Each structure stands twice: as structure tokens, then as C-alpha cells.
Amino acid sequence: MEAVTSLLAGFETALTPLNLLWALIGVTLGTLVGVLPGIGPALTVALLLPVTAQLPPVSAFIMFAGIYYGGMFGGSTTSILLNTPGESSSIITALEGNKMARKGRAAAALATAAIGSFVAGTIGTILLTFAAPAIANVAVMIPPSAKFALIMLAFVTISATFGNSPLRGLISLFFGLTIGLVGTDLQSGQARFTLGRPELLDGIEFVTVVIGLFAVGETLFVASRLRKDKASVIKLDGNASMTREDWRRSWKPWLRGTALGFPFGAIPAGGAEIPTFLSYTLERRLSKHPEEFGKGAIEGVAGPEAANNASAAGVLVPLLTLGLPTSATAAILLAAFQQYGLQPGPLLFVTNGDLVWGLIASLYIGNVMLLALNLPLAPVWARLLLIPRPFLYAGILVFSTVGVYSLNNSVFDLILLAIFGVIGYGMRRFDFPVTPAIIGVILGPVAESQFRTALQQSNGNPTIFLQSPLTVFILLAVLAALIVPAVLKARAARRV
């Protein structure tokens, strides 16, 4: 009952006219960037961090939450009509949804994606409402050694999940960790990796790193692959709608996708890729029409889209209760909390309960707004796919430069932006995932702080990491996450 009381107080915050306006702006922006290929909610929130620094925290996070959920809704439009998944979690939607669109069933594909996202997002938010406070109460008792082990687990699993190669993921992670070490050590006062530059004594601005790797890197990568021929966008006639048969075939995949997506989002395993692929495999096995899979099966859109959005709600559980981001967008949301002097974790529910519950309440409101925006306005969003990419990415590049310069009015920041932009391009060019680097930058200092705190509590005795059963269990999980994939890959190579 305490969660319900807190949620009702959150609705009082979220339902003020100003916050409703920010929620509407957020979901509209989120749908917009979800539709436009190659942008996504992570890049959008990063670009808006400098702009929103003067906003009240509650209003800013209500808008960010709208962008986060809206990006998940809008991504299906690109996958279905353009056959271009904006993120790896939308690959399955493109596989079946685009086939449906080519058969003249684009409206049904978009409708099952939008309604499935609404159902999964709402159920996921309900689970978040009750799971987050319970986990926060337990998390208060977790010792620093176990928190350090949890961060290590997040590092390893995210590096292995994002990208095609765990080794490339780990290299990207260590690059991010190195960037996070730049600056003055708060305990010893020693400068680290500053190269004698006074501008680096306070560290590198996280916003500069993120916008460089995401925005500038993506712009350079797209420019290097730009072709004169235009992508084939399937025309959408009328609003997104479903027949009675479509409803009958979709509602069970929505629920099964939600059941798969939320737990995977809530554990520090990173991303929605695994639950979407599992959902697709499950629906293919359970379907009464398995022959349609690969040719445009509506279950192949309904289940994975529900899993994707339920996972998005699940990602907020470790972020709010443990301060652990398990996706690129969650990492940037963590940076936004730190921008306001807040640290997500179990104490956030006590010290800033109005913000947390206002944010959770806004997710319910945003879901309703997104359903109203996506079903009747589907043809409008589809037309956005016709925007020439040079204009789009030129605007992003200008906005990135202005945003970074406005942080400190420093030309040195622009030089760093250009450097990270080139690095971001190189990472995409050679298939290094960017997300582990972002996680490393934001969580590296936190891991170092927890490690030092644990050693201080034990007077420098490293066996502190072996004294807590919870810490030992998590560290064993870290070792298993490192070793098991390598063993399985070696066995598969021997069979070949």
C-alpha cells in the first residue's frame, strides 16, 4: 500500500499543467527520434543535457522519460516501413514487420507494434512501481564490496551483450574506464592522465564524451556511407489499425513478450536484444501459423516489440535502486541525475521521493500519450522518413557543437568533441560497440569509489571481497560470464 500512496503523490506532481507539457514534448521528441534512423533516445537525451541544466529536476526527468519511452515506440516505424532497425533490439521487428508492409499490411504491423508497446510499457511500469521500492529497501544493506562486484558484473555482461565480439566489447569498456580516470584523484589530490593540461584537472565532461561518440561519430559514419540513391520507404495508406483476427493473434504474444522483457531489463545484463530474440523464437514455436514466419507473421512483430518495451521499463529498476545503468540511454540518464547533484540508489527514494514517484507516474501518462500519438498519426511519422539525411545530420552536428560549447564556453571542449567524434567513427567502422565505453565512463569512478570504501573498511585487507557470501556469489557470476562464452565458442569451433 505504501507504493500505491507514493504513486498517487507522484501523479499529483506529474499531472500539473507544466509537467504534462514537458511529458508531451518528451514523447513527441522521443517518437520523432525513434522514427528517424540512426538517432535514438540516447543521443537525444545527451544533446539535451546542456539545454535542460536550468530546468527543475522533476520536469527535466519527466521529459527524458518521455523521450526514452517514445524512442521505443517510434523505432518500430523505421523498422517496418524502411527495413532499417535503428537499434539492434529492433532487428526482429524489421524482419517480420517489413515483410508485412510489403504485402500491404503496414497498418496492421504498426498497430500491433504500438499497442504491444503500450501494453508492455504499462505492465512493465506497474512492475517497476512495486519492485523498485522493495529492491531499494534491500539495497540499503548491500556492503560496498558487493556493490563493487555488481558493477563488475554489469561491466562484463554489457561488454559481452553489445556487439558481435565480447573482446571488442571489453576493449570499448576499458577505453571508457580510462576516460573516466582523467582528472584529479579526490583522495590523493594527484592529477591523472591530464597530459599537463589544466583544462583536464576536473576531468572530461561526460556530455562531451557522449555527444562526440554518439552524435559526431554517427554523423561521420553516415556521411562516409551516404549514397545518392534514396532508400525505399513503403507508403502507408490510412491510420494504423488491426482486424479482429490480428487482435486474436497478437494479445498472447504481447503478454509473453512482456514476461520475457521485464526480467531481462531488470537484471544487470544489458540491452533488450536477448529478450526480443527469445520472444521471436518462442512465438515461432507456439504459433499455429509457423509457415508465415520469415514471410510476415504478425506474432513476430507483436512479441518482440512487447519484449523491447517491457525491457525498457525493467532497465529503470537497477538504475533507480542501485545506480546501475544497463543501456546507453540509462547511462546518460544517470549522468543527468549527477548533473543535478543526485545519485541514483536506494537512498534516492528517501531523499528525493517526489522526483522518483513523479518520474514513475509520468511513465503511465506518457504511455497513454504515445498510444494517442502513434495510432492516428502514423502516416505523419511515416513521412518523416523522407527527410534527406544530409540535412538531418548537418542539424545534429550544429546542435552538438553549440551544446558542448555552451557548457564552459571553451574551445578546448570543441577540440575534445572532434577527437571523440573521430574515435566514435572508428568504433563504428571497425565494429566496436559504443555502449560499453559510455558505461565505463559513467560507472568507472563509482566502481573505484566502492572499491576504495571496501578496502578502507577492512584496513586494506583484500579478503574483504571474500567475506560476504553475496560478494563471492556475484564475483563467481563475473568469472562465469567471462569464461563460459569462451568455452562454448571453443567447443563450437572444434565441432566445425
Side-chain angles (χ1 to χ4, degrees):
M1 286 300 295
E2 184 179 348
V4 175
T5 304
S6 301
L7 181 63
L8 292 175
F11 273 111
E12 290 183 12
T13 302
L15 287 172
T16 61
L18 186 60
N19 285 336
L20 282 175
L21 176 62
W22 286 117
L24 181 60
I25 291 172
V27 297
T28 306
L29 270 177
T31 306
L32 173 67
V33 301
V35 169
L36 296 174
I39 301 181
L43 171 57
T44 308
V45 174
L47 288 173
L48 290 174
L49 281 180
V51 180
T52 56
Q54 303 303 319
L55 278 180
V58 176
S59 300
F61 280 101
I62 285 175
M63 182 177 70
F64 289 155
I67 293 171
Y68 181 43
Y69 265 28
M72 299 299 169
F73 267 73
S76 59
T77 304
T78 310
S79 299
I80 292 168
L81 298 183
L82 195 60
N83 198 25
T84 305
E87 297 183 9
S88 54
S89 57
S90 300
I91 291 173
I92 296 298
T93 304
L95 179 66
E96 295 293 339
N98 189 255
K99 297 283 175 53
M100 288 181 66
R102 292 184 184 280
K103 290 181 177 179
R105 304 198 65 223
L110 289 171
T112 194
I115 298 171
S117 297
F118 171 76
V119 171
T122 302
I123 295 175
T125 307
I126 292 172
L127 294 173
L128 169 67
T129 301
F130 293 98
I135 294 174
N137 290 335
V138 175
V140 174
M141 298 179 285
I142 296 178
S145 59
K147 290 180 181 177
F148 171 76
L150 269 175
I151 296 174
M152 291 298 103
L153 180 62
F155 282 160
V156 172
T157 53
I158 289 169
S159 300
T161 303
F162 287 91
N164 299 321
S165 166
L167 178 60
R168 286 192 176 98
L170 287 171
I171 292 172
S172 174
L173 171 68
F174 280 109
F175 168 69
L177 291 172
T178 303
I179 298 301
L181 289 174
V182 174
T184 305
D185 180 9
L186 296 179
Q187 290 194 5
S188 66
Q190 292 292 318
R192 303 187 297 193
F193 304 112
T194 59
L195 304 176
R197 301 287 308 193
E199 296 94 339
L200 295 177
L201 288 174
D202 291 329
I204 299 175
E205 287 277 1
F206 178 75
V207 176
T208 304
V209 178
V210 172
I211 293 180
L213 293 178
F214 269 113
V216 181
E218 179 71 18
T219 300
L220 295 176
F221 185 72
V222 170
S224 70
R225 279 164 165 66
L226 199 61
R227 297 291 182 267
K228 292 184 179 179
D229 54 320
K230 294 183 179 179
S232 174
V233 181
I234 297 173
K235 186 178 179 181
L236 175 65
D237 296 319
N239 299 334
S241 58
M242 296 169 64
T243 64
R244 182 175 295 179
E245 175 66 12
D246 294 332
W247 280 91
R248 187 185 65 79
R249 292 178 59 177
S250 295
W251 71 272
K252 288 182 181 179
W254 291 336
L255 297 179
R256 286 192 288 261
T258 303
L260 282 171
F262 185 83
F264 272 94
I267 61 176
E273 293 81 3
I274 295 175
T276 53
F277 278 91
L278 287 177
S279 174
Y280 181 78
T281 304
L282 180 63
E283 295 308 324
R284 188 168 190 166
R285 289 183 178 179
L286 297 178
S287 176
K288 296 179 180 179
H289 309 277
E291 72 281 355
E292 292 185 14
F293 278 77
K295 301 175 182 177
I298 193 168
E299 296 92 340
V301 178
E305 273 299 304
N308 187 18
N309 282 267
S311 176
V315 162
L316 295 177
V317 174
L319 175 65
L320 295 177
T321 60
L322 300 171
L324 283 179
T326 56
S327 70
T329 309
I332 296 167
L333 287 174
L334 177 59
F337 275 106
Q338 293 174 350
Q339 176 176 271
Y340 287 101
L342 304 171
Q343 180 59 48
L347 296 179
L348 188 67
F349 285 80
V350 177
T351 57
N352 296 92
D354 55 338
L355 187 152
V356 174
W357 289 107
L359 170 65
I360 294 174
S362 74
L363 297 177
Y364 291 96
I365 299 168
N367 259 319
V368 176
M369 288 181 173
L370 283 166
L371 192 65
L373 281 173
N374 278 270
L375 286 180
L377 298 179
V380 177
W381 300 119
R383 290 193 188 97
L384 292 175
L385 294 172
L386 301 175
I387 296 176
R389 285 199 177 188
F391 297 159
L392 179 65
Y393 284 96
I396 291 174
L397 198 57
V398 171
F399 198 79
S400 302
T401 306
V402 173
V404 168
Y405 184 77
S406 67
L407 292 172
N408 301 306
N409 295 329
S410 169
V411 176
F412 185 76
D413 285 346
L414 296 181
I415 296 172
L416 289 177
L417 177 69
I419 293 171
F420 284 113
V422 172
I423 294 173
Y425 165 76
M427 293 177 75
R428 287 168 174 81
R429 171 64 180 80
F430 297 103
D431 199 25
F432 284 84
V434 176
T435 299
I438 301 299
I439 300 290
V441 174
I442 193 70
L443 275 188
V446 180
E448 181 186 13
S449 174
Q450 297 295 342
F451 181 78
R452 284 181 162 180
T453 301
L455 288 178
Q456 287 170 352
Q457 289 179 350
S458 64
N459 294 320
N461 186 357
T463 59
I464 184 69
F465 296 99
L466 302 176
Q467 293 175 7
S468 167
L470 177 61
T471 306
V472 172
F473 175 77
I474 298 172
L475 289 176
L476 288 175
V478 172
L479 288 174
L482 283 171
I483 296 171
V484 171
V487 172
L488 293 176
K489 189 174 182 180
R491 284 186 177 179
R494 285 180 184 177
R495 289 175 184 174
V496 174

